[in-house]
Every structure is written in C-alpha cells, then in structure tokens.
Amino acid sequence: MTTMTQPVSLREHVTPIAAGTHVVAARWLKQGLALALADGRVLRWRDGAADMVEAHAGGLLCASGDGERLISGGDDGRVVVTRFEGAPEELAKDGKRRWVDAIVLSASGNLAWNSGKSVTARDEKGRLRTLEVASTPQGLVFAPKGYRLAIAQMSGVLLWYPNTEAKPEFLEWKGAHVDVTWSPDGRFVVSSMQENALHGWKLGDKPGHMRMTGYPAKPRSLSWSHDGLWLASSGADGAIVWPFQGDGPQGKAPRECGVRRARVTRVAFHPGALVLAIGYDDGCVLLVRLTDGSELLVRPAERGSGISAFAWDKAGKRLAFGAEDGAAGVLALPG
C-alpha cells in the first residue's frame, strides 16, 4: 500500500495580509508590495504596515508593474500609475470610457493597453501609437527584446512594431485566444485559448505550430522558468509544465507537478531556480521543486479563498500571494 506523505510546511514563515476584497494582481516595488484590488483600490504593504489608495472609480480589472510603479486599468476607462508613496496619477483615459482589461509594462518602460477594439502603445519617452484590430484584443505581451507587441485576439495573435509603419504580422490559428506569452529567448509565442488549450508558434526561419491540449479548464496563468526551458500553466489538477528545449514541446510529454483534488489557478516560477509556486482554487499554495517533485506547503486549503495572484520579489526570497476572498500573504523563505 502506498502511503502519501504530507509536504513539509512553511506556514510559520507566512505573514498574513488582510486585503479585504479580490486581489487582481500582486507586484513587488522597490519599497514594498502593491496589491491591485478588484474594488479599484491599491494596497501598499511594507514590513507589516499597510495603506490603501483609490486608483479607479469602479472596478480594477488588470495591472502590471516594473519595480518602480504599479500601472492598472479599470472599467472607468482609465490607466493609472500608483507608486509606493503619494497619490495615484492618471496616465490615460478613454473618451468613451471603454474598459481597460489588459495592460503590459516592459522592463525598459514601454507600456500598452487595450480599450474596445484598440491597442495603445506608449514608449519610454511617452510617444503614443494606436492600432485598431479586427476583433477585441485580449492578452498583451512585449517581446523580450525590442519594441514589439503580441496581441491575442480571435483566430490568432498579432505581432506589431508600434514604432514603424510596417503591417503587423498575424499568427493564425482558428479559435479565441485569450492570453499570450513570449519565451525569454524570443523564439516562441504561446497563447491560452477559450477551448481549454494552449497554442504555440515557433518563430524564425523554420516557423511551426505547437498544440498543447488536454486541459479540463482554461489555462489562464502561464509562467516561464528562469532558464526559459519550461513553461508552467494552470487549468488542471496539477501544474502542467511543458518542455521548450530544442524545437519546443511538440511530440513531448509535459511534466505534471503538485497534483491534488483541486484546480490550479495560478503558477509562478522562482526567478532563479527550478521551483514553482502553485496556487489552487481551494486556497492551497505549494512550492514544488521541478527536479525531483518535492513539495513544500505554504498555505493550506481554505474554502472560498482560491488563489488569484502571485509575485516573487526580484531576489526570489519572498513570495506574495492574493486570493479571491481578500486574503493575502507574504512568504519569506528561511535561510
């Protein structure tokens, strides 16, 4: 008979945070942690002390960050910058008050967001370009190098150079594409689909398609390992981790980590090690080492407290998490 062993616990190293409402996103800034909340506020936390600021007059739908600031979009049609100190500042506002529900910020300061059927890109000098697309743009991501944007939409992903007049390149695949990610080496673009699948494109001289199917739910959270060789995804009873060595995962079996009787909702690779943070819809959080599958318990299951946000700090010493019921916390790794 097989005896299931319980994962070693890190619970005593977790500092709880009461956010009070659904945590949309978590980002570490240099001074501390920022939690973007669904009711339009941003919670700023440092060493146990916290304050709240109003960022949106309505729901906050998405957020990104770069270490200096958290930038959020909301159903008030506004793009708002929140720093660790001072009041939030409006960066842009849609005249028709269309929702901003996708936003991305690159390490060099380039920013992009959607509204209606438009995508607006703002470079690090503040210059704006707008692209009208055929269907509602969904997920956005910048290429790891250069000023190029991938836009998930119906029937494929659009690749756009905002600083040129070149016609965008369309990566076509039938279906609704919701989120998109770009591999750290720039060779692969992968989208998550409404049809409970991932689809990938290999770019370059020998382009190709990659189909990654078999998910029981939509894989809405994606995370690359620090070496770019693995892509973790949510949408199943364990984190599904695809190998991207060589020409990608086509014809190769994925790894399955942290399998439990609950659905994985968020994944986040450690910034410097093959350790994956996995959050579930029953509120549990695990750390799993990819090399041997060993598990560490960060947070036990809590009914109605599904994990909705993750963020490692730059050094990989702290993991922040947020949940749909307003619970949150920070794990400080021992040692």
Side-chain angles (χ1 to χ4, degrees), residues 69 104-112 122-125 142 146-148:
R69 55 196 170 154
V104 63
L105 178 62
S106 75
S108 59
N110 299 314
L111 175 68
R122 184 181 190 272
D123 69 16
E124 68 271 24
K125 295 182 180 178
F142 280 111
Y147 188 29
R148 196 180 193 192

Side-chain angles (χ1 to χ4, degrees), residues 3 9 11 24 60 62 83 91 99 110 133 151 166 179 197 200 205 241 257 267 272 280 295 322 327 331 335:
T3 301
S9 177
R11 294 172 61 182
V24 174
L60 188 158
C62 58
R83 294 179 172 80
L91 187 65
W99 290 15
N110 299 314
V133 298
I151 306 165
D179 295 307
D205 296 336
V241 186
C257 300
V267 291
Y280 300 81
E295 300 176 357
L331 166 69

Side-chain angles (χ1 to χ4, degrees), residues 112-123:
W113 64 89
N114 69 354
S115 55
K117 292 187 177 180
S118 301
V119 175
T120 300
R122 184 181 190 272
D123 69 16

Side-chain angles (χ1 to χ4, degrees), residues 11 20 25 51 71 76 88 115 135 141 147 161 166 174 188 196-198 224 242 246-247 262 284 312 334:
R11 294 172 61 182
D51 72 346
I71 300 184
D76 55 0
S115 55
S135 61
V141 67
Y147 188 29
Y161 286 106
K174 186 179 180 181
F188 304 99
N196 295 358
L198 301 181
W224 291 94
W242 295 93
D247 289 333
C284 180
W312 286 99

Side-chain angles (χ1 to χ4, degrees), residues 255-277:
R255 296 277 299 273
E256 199 169 10
C257 300
V259 177
R260 300 178 59 252
R261 292 178 181 174
R263 190 65 47 81
V264 174
T265 54
R266 302 299 302 175
V267 291
F269 262 115
H270 187 278
L274 289 178
V275 172
L276 182 66

Side-chain angles (χ1 to χ4, degrees), residues 5 12 14 26 31-32 56 95 118 123 126 156 194 198 203 206 209-210 257 334:
T5 57
E12 65 273 22
V14 174
Q31 301 92 336
H56 294 271
S118 301
D123 69 16
Q194 196 74 17
L198 301 181
L203 308 179
K206 296 180 180 179
H209 289 269
M210 293 160 284
C257 300

